Amino acid sequence: MYDMRLFTHHKNDLTIILPGHVMHPLECSDDFTYALLFISPKMLDDLRFHTFSHDYEKFNSAPFCSLTDEQAAHLLAIVDQLAIIANHTERELPHRYQALLAQLAVGYEFLNYYRRDQDRQWAENRYADTFKRFCDLVVKHYRESREVQYYADLLELTPKHLSKVIRTATNGLSPVKWIEQYVTAQAKRLIETRSTQTLQEIAYMLGFTEPTAFYRYFKRATGMTAKQYRDNVL
């Protein structure tokens, strides 16, 4: 059980348990064996500073990975090397701590390499969920704001990270363009179905405080004025 969720481990499975999380074994097979590596808070902080800082969320959300026999053997060899270094004193090895940290960094790089397919899938799934939330927010709030910063704040992301998520989910479309396409689609729908409404009234219905701002927005997005579009529809 990991954080109150049930999981089943198989041969060569590896788990990274970060501070604040709990894993509790419930039952195991008779041939079960394991290697357990504890890292001190200081060493974890140093490891984060050098290599680990950008992957904290990844290991927090996806702590498990499956290894091949060869991959497991490589990581176990690194654990064995850590044990050899740890069994010496600082007097025997003046740079003992640095050697341990360097060996951990090597293991971490191999682990990242072994997890690459899983991490790619994790990122895609995470981006897909964020993109869906972004779409839902635009549908709900496009009359209030068409600014990327507004939606990034609602999602508790930086505009730069939100842009990366949207471009990944849409094969290169920026969040500005996605919002623009959605607003323009709504504008076209209203122009086509509300023939008795003036373009100024449609601008207000879309949340623009000034009709001229809507006219500029529509022309920038479509290459034609709202009046030209209405004339073509008519």
Side-chain angles (χ1 to χ4, degrees):
M1 181 175 288
Y2 184 89
D3 286 353
M4 304 306 293
R5 294 173 293 165
L6 290 175
F7 293 92
T8 301
H9 275 303
H10 301 91
K11 180 183 179 183
N12 294 335
D13 280 358
L14 180 145
T15 306
I16 293 179
I17 308 174
L18 297 176
H21 298 264
V22 177
M23 189 169 78
H24 179 69
L26 299 178
E27 57 180 304
C28 61
S29 60
D30 293 336
D31 60 347
F32 176 73
T33 60
Y34 65 93
L36 191 60
L37 175 66
F38 289 97
I39 301 176
S40 70
K42 181 182 186 308
M43 186 164 284
L44 181 60
D45 287 341
D46 289 340
L47 189 62
R48 281 179 182 165
F49 178 77
H50 291 290
T51 58
F52 191 60
S53 58
H54 300 296
D55 292 325
Y56 183 88
E57 181 186 357
K58 176 179 71 178
F59 290 115
N60 183 46
S61 302
F64 308 103
C65 70
S66 297
L67 305 172
T68 66
D69 288 345
E70 183 180 20
Q71 291 169 349
H74 288 167
L75 290 182
L76 286 172
I78 291 174
V79 172
D80 290 340
Q81 188 64 36
L82 284 166
I84 293 173
I85 299 171
N87 283 331
H88 288 76
T89 65
E90 291 283 354
R91 185 172 182 178
E92 294 170 326
L93 298 175
H95 302 291
R96 173 180 176 274
Y97 183 82
Q98 288 74 14
L100 288 170
L101 196 62
Q103 192 72 11
L104 278 172
V106 170
Y108 169 77
E109 289 301 321
F110 274 105
L111 176 60
N112 262 339
Y113 176 65
Y114 297 153
R115 281 179 53 120
R116 62 193 184 282
D117 292 334
Q118 175 183 325
D119 292 341
R120 190 179 302 114
Q121 185 64 44
W122 170 80
E124 289 173 356
N125 291 340
R126 180 175 58 118
Y127 286 174
D129 178 67
T130 302
F131 178 60
K132 179 182 180 301
R133 291 166 57 205
F134 169 74
C135 294
D136 291 342
L137 288 171
V138 172
V139 171
K140 185 177 180 181
H141 298 288
Y142 76 92
R143 295 179 184 86
E144 301 166 28
S145 178
R146 291 163 292 279
E147 299 296 327
V148 175
Q149 182 70 60
Y150 177 86
Y151 295 98
D153 290 342
L154 290 178
L155 291 166
E156 298 181 343
L157 300 172
T158 64
K160 182 179 180 180
H161 184 67
L162 178 59
S163 178
K164 179 181 179 181
V165 170
I166 304 308
R167 288 181 184 277
T168 301
T170 62
N171 293 319
L173 196 65
S174 70
V176 171
K177 280 294 181 183
W178 198 97
I179 296 169
E180 187 178 84
Q181 286 187 8
Y182 182 81
V183 174
T184 303
Q186 294 302 314
K188 289 179 177 180
R189 178 181 63 82
L190 291 174
I191 291 173
E192 293 166 8
T193 59
R194 303 292 183 94
S195 58
T196 60
Q197 305 285 148
T198 66
L199 292 176
Q200 292 93 328
E201 289 172 328
I202 288 175
Y204 294 134
M205 293 170 65
L206 291 168
F208 289 87
T209 57
E210 293 292 338
T212 53
F214 165 64
Y215 302 152
R216 290 194 299 270
Y217 191 90
F218 190 91
K219 184 173 183 179
R220 184 177 69 246
T222 65
M224 67 173 67
T225 66
K227 184 178 184 306
Q228 288 173 330
Y229 185 81
R230 167 161 276 181
D231 292 342
N232 289 342
V233 170
L234 295 176

